[in-house]
Amino acid sequence: MWLGGRVRRRGRRRDRRTEQSDAFKPYLQQQYAAGITNGRTLFQQVRERGFPGGYSTLAAYLRTLQAGTAPAVPAEIPSPPRITA
């Protein structure tokens, strides 16, 4: 539907920043719990591990850790055992 020349979008778009940091959240939470809370230090560590995002993406997630509002990272689901004959 057109409203004043703009397209009205339905639904909610997911923020790409969170998708970039999803794989690194368990590591970041572990480091944060260990007392490493400096954003620049954590940014350097995750960049060395292949983090594709920028500092502002990381800083946004670190703010949730600092505020205590970061959702818990789900535990990794183990793969089913292989049956061999």
Side-chain angles (χ1 to χ4, degrees):
M1 171 179 246
W2 289 91
L3 298 174
R6 295 185 181 170
V7 176
R8 183 175 172 191
R9 295 181 186 213
R10 294 182 184 257
R12 191 173 136 189
R13 294 188 313 172
R14 182 177 164 122
D15 191 352
R16 283 183 292 143
R17 292 180 301 181
T18 58
E19 292 172 356
Q20 291 177 344
S21 63
D22 282 350
F24 297 91
K25 286 179 180 179
Y27 176 78
L28 290 168
Q29 286 186 356
Q30 177 188 14
Q31 294 297 92
Y32 201 85
I36 301 171
T37 60
N38 181 282
R40 293 286 174 194
T41 301
L42 289 169
F43 179 66
Q44 183 178 15
Q45 290 176 359
V46 294
R47 288 296 284 193
E48 290 170 356
R49 288 167 174 74
F51 179 66
Y55 180 76
S56 61
T57 301
L58 179 78
Y61 181 66
L62 292 179
R63 282 192 295 276
T64 65
L65 286 176
Q66 183 179 22
T69 58
V73 176
E76 189 174 314
I77 300 171
S79 58
R82 293 184 175 190
I83 300 174
T84 57

